[in-house]
C-alpha cells in the first residue's frame, strides 16, 4: 500500500461544525421569538426597558444614537453597501463581492418577517419617539440586522485583507462597537422594542457566522489546491489505464 503524499486530499475537518451549529440554533431562537412577538405584540418587559433606556436623556447621547442609526436609513443604507460591493467587484475580488452581496440579502429576511409578524411600532404615550421616516413594521429591527450581517462581514473581510495587526484590531473593534450600539440606539430613539433588537441580533449573527464559515472553507480549498504538487505524467495517465481495463 503506497503512503499518502502531501498533495492528497485530507478529510474535512470538523471545525465548521461549531459555527454552523451556532447559526442553526440562533436562527431557531429567532423563529421562536418571532412567534412570541406575533402572539403578544406588546409586553411589559419591552416597555420597561425602553423607559429605562430613555431616562438617560442627554443631548450628546441623543446625537450619538442618531449618528449610529444614520447609515441604516435610506438612501445611505443603499448607497454605502453598493459602493463597497461594487468596489470589491471592480478590484477583482469577486468572491468577497459575492459574499457581501449575500450578507446584504439578510435585509430580505427582515422584510419577509415583517410581512408575517406585522408588529406595530412603539406608540406608548410614555415613550419618546424621534421623528424619522419609518417605512414598515417593527419586528425585526432592520438597522440591527443590516449592521450585524453586512457591516460585520465587511469588517471581517477588511481585517483579513489587512497585513498590519493593529489595523486589523482597529477595524474589528470599530465594527463591534457600531454593531453593539445600533441596537440600543433603536430603542433609545423609540423606533423599536427590545425584542425587535434581540431578534435581529440572532438572525444577523447567524447569517454572519454562516458566511464567515463559508468564506474560510472556500479559501481553505483554494489554498489546498494551490499547495498541491502538480500531477506527474504517470499519475495523469493512470485514470485512462483504469478505464481501459474496466472496459
Amino acid at each position: 500500500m503506497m503512503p499518502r503524499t502531501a498533495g492528497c486530499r485530507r478529510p474535512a475537518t470538523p471545525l465548521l461544525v461549531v459555527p454552523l451549529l451556532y447559526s442553526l440554533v440562533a436562527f431557531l431562537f429567532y423563529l421562536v421569538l418571532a412567534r412570541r412577538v406575533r402572539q403578544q405584540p406588546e409586553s411589559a418587559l419591552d416597555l420597561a426597558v425602553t423607559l429605562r433606556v430613555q431616562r438617560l436623556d442627554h443631548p450628546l447621547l441623543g446625537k450619538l444614537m442618531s449618528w449610529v442609526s444614520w447609515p441604516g436609513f435610506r438612501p445611505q443604507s443603499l448607497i454605502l453597501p453598493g459602493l463597497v460591493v461594487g468596489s470589491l467587484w471592480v478590484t477583482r475580488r469577486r468572491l468577497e463581492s459575492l459574499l457581501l452581496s449575500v450578507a446584504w440579502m439578510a435585509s430580505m429576511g427582515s422584510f419577509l418577517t415583517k410581512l408575517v409578524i406585522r408588529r406595530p411600532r412603539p406608540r406608548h404615550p410614555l415613550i419618546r419617539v424621534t421623528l424619522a421616516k419609518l417605512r414598515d413594521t417593527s419586528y425585526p429591527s432592520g438597522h440591527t440586522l443590516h449592521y450585524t450581517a453586512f457591516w460585520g462581514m465587511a469588517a471581517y473581510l477588511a481585517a483579513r485583507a489587512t497585513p498590519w495587526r493593529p489595523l486589523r484590531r482597529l477595524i474589528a473593534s470599530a465594527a463591534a462597537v457600531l454593531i453593539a450600539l445600533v441596537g440600543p440606539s433603536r430603542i433609545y430613539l423609540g423606533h423599536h422594542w427590545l425584542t425587535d433588537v434581540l431578534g435581529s441580533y440572532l438572525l444577523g449573527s447567524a447569517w454572519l457566522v454562516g458566511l464567515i464559515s463559508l468564506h474560510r472553507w472556500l479559501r481553505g480549498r483554494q489554498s489546498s489546491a494551490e499547495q498541491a504538487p502538480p500531477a506527474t505524467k504517470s499519475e495523469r495517465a493512470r485514470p485512462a489505464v483504469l478505464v481501459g481495463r474496466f472496459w
Side-chain angles (χ1 to χ4, degrees), residues 14-24 205-206 209-210 212-213 216:
L15 297 179
L16 294 177
V17 173
V18 174
L20 293 180
L21 181 61
Y22 169 81
S23 295
L24 177 60
S205 62
V209 170
I212 290 176
S213 301
R216 289 181 173 178

Side-chain angles (χ1 to χ4, degrees), residues 9-16 217:
R9 183 176 297 178
R10 297 180 179 179
T13 62
L15 297 179
L16 294 177
W217 180 74

